[in-house]
């Protein structure tokens, strides 16, 4: 079994934010940043993930084209 641990990784303090914590950690690591978020940041990250998934904007605030099923990117 393989286990991964990021030194100093923030830990969730409840039983329902595990998914957003995974996404936040991966986002920080993909940008080569040390994860420094807190439990209180989860709501902001939920909104950010929603915008990214809906195709409204990327993490830099750049507006992206909406997904078009007839012409997928």
């Amino acid at each position: 079994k393989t286990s991964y641990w990021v030194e100093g990784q923030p830990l969730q303090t409840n039983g329902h934010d595990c998914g957003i914590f995974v996404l936040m950690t991966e986002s920080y690591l993909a940008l080569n940043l040390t994860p420094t978020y807190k439990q209180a940041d989860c709501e902001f990250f939920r909104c950010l993930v929603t915008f990214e998934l809906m195709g409204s904007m990327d993490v830099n605030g750049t507006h992206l084209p909406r997904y078009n099923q007839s012409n997928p990117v």
Side-chain angles (χ1 to χ4, degrees), residues 5-72:
W5 179 256
V6 176
E7 188 65 35
Q9 176 179 344
L11 300 175
Q12 72 185 72
T13 58
N14 62 35
H16 59 270
D17 283 329
C18 52
I20 199 69
F21 262 75
V22 168
L23 292 173
M24 290 191 308
T25 300
E26 293 304 319
S27 294
Y28 271 73
L29 295 178
L31 295 170
N32 203 27
L33 299 172
T34 301
T36 57
Y37 52 83
K38 301 177 197 81
Q39 185 77 45
D41 298 326
C42 285
E43 189 62 34
F44 168 78
F45 273 94
R46 276 191 196 88
C47 291
L48 182 62
V49 168
T50 300
F51 280 119
E52 289 175 342
L53 291 174
M54 296 298 290
S56 297
M57 63 181 65
D58 65 12
V59 294
N60 297 313
T62 305
H63 289 279
L64 301 172
R66 295 223 179 253
Y67 177 77
N68 182 342
Q69 287 182 325
S70 62
N71 186 21

